[in-house]
Amino acid sequence: MTRVTDDAAGRGHCGEVGRVATAATRAAAETAETAEAAATGTSPGPPPRRADAVRNRAGILEAARRLVTERGTDVAMGEIAREAGVAVGTLYRHFPNKADLLAAVVTQYVEAVAEDAQDAWARVEAGRADAAQELLEFLERALEMISRSHAAKAVAQALGAQVEYAEPEARATEALERLIEAGRASGRLRDDLAVSDLYILMVFYPGDGPAEVRRRWLELIRPGLLGAGAQGTGPVPLALRPTGRGSR
């Protein structure tokens, strides 16, 4: 009995030593990871997503955009999975319900607008483009993106999806403020133009109207954005010309 007890105590001691060693090894690894991150300027964290997971997520979002635009709220999660070429379980691992999926679709649109605004400012800051022209072309692209995202936003709203706009909207606002400031300084944008004016235009854009209506609307609002030194000058923004994309 004493031997059994001693053996058990020995095993317990070995187990405790093993646990301590494992904890020490984990702590050392975390310390090394932190030191490496500090040396390389990166932050420690979870490993990046596997390439196939990234691919699957992108395919799911693209399929959801297409089907929701065609069929609205009636589209089922299983149909979205089939369209994306993934198993239903894979879809639910990425998005537990349709509201989460539509929130991600809408967020992707907002992120795209923010990145577009930042890219436009980067071109102006680098001296490769005119601020007023970049602002006009950005507005065209943003408004057409609003047109394409109309169905997804309507379905997201119907499902009660919670979409977080704050971070990408802040990035877009900062870039647009700089574009407008540069355009006003050059005299090519009106002196009292503000970012809030652009957001008013986005809210009232006839995005669900025919392509000809959208094109005419852009023609009418364009002079109201320009300064006295730019009226009737400069290239015509692309969205004011009929295109295959805008005719849908």
Side-chain angles (χ1 to χ4, degrees):
M1 181 71 178
T2 302
R3 182 174 179 179
V4 171
T5 305
D6 289 344
D7 286 348
R11 286 194 299 273
H13 176 69
C14 290
E16 183 63 28
V17 170
R19 284 192 293 274
V20 170
T22 300
T25 301
R26 187 181 299 115
E30 290 172 354
T31 301
E33 182 182 4
T34 302
E36 181 181 358
T40 59
T42 60
S43 34
R49 289 181 184 174
R50 285 173 16 198
D52 58 341
V54 173
R55 243 186 343 264
N56 287 341
R57 188 177 192 278
I60 290 167
L61 289 173
E62 177 60 29
R65 276 197 300 271
R66 283 197 304 269
L67 292 179
V68 165
T69 299
E70 294 170 5
R71 304 195 17 216
T73 56
D74 292 338
V75 64
M77 292 287 271
E79 293 174 288
I80 293 172
R82 282 195 297 276
E83 180 76 9
V86 301
V88 174
T90 300
L91 186 154
Y92 279 105
R93 277 197 297 276
H94 285 279
F95 305 103
N97 53 60
K98 198 191 294 187
D100 287 345
L101 173 55
L102 267 295
V105 170
V106 175
T107 298
Q108 196 173 55
Y109 278 117
V110 179
E111 286 282 351
V113 170
E115 289 173 11
D116 195 356
Q118 289 178 303
D119 289 345
W121 168 243
R123 288 189 291 271
V124 172
E125 189 177 31
R128 300 197 308 269
D130 171 72
Q133 188 64 26
E134 282 291 337
L135 183 73
L136 292 171
E137 291 179 357
F138 161 79
L139 185 60
E140 299 159 10
R141 294 188 297 268
L143 291 173
E144 283 303 301
M145 193 170 295
I146 287 171
S147 177
R148 294 196 299 273
S149 67
H150 180 78
K153 287 179 180 177
V155 173
Q157 186 174 14
L159 294 172
Q162 299 297 313
V163 182
E164 180 51 60
Y165 295 121
E167 193 276 333
E169 188 175 282
R171 287 190 284 116
T173 298
E174 181 182 6
L176 292 174
E177 283 174 345
R178 293 179 177 181
L179 273 175
I180 289 173
E181 183 180 354
R184 287 196 309 238
S186 70
R188 285 178 57 79
L189 290 177
R190 59 184 296 159
D191 290 338
D192 60 348
L193 186 64
V195 175
S196 58
D197 297 324
L198 302 184
Y199 289 150
I200 290 171
L201 294 176
M202 291 179 188
V203 168
F204 290 102
Y205 179 61
D208 54 351
E212 273 302 307
V213 170
R214 301 198 305 269
R215 185 187 66 81
R216 180 59 177 161
W217 189 89
L218 283 165
E219 287 177 344
L220 293 173
I221 62 97
R222 181 178 182 269
L225 303 176
L226 299 175
Q231 294 288 353
T233 66
V236 177
L238 295 178
L240 301 186
R241 306 171 192 154
T243 63
R245 181 190 221 173
S247 62
R248 288 183 298 181

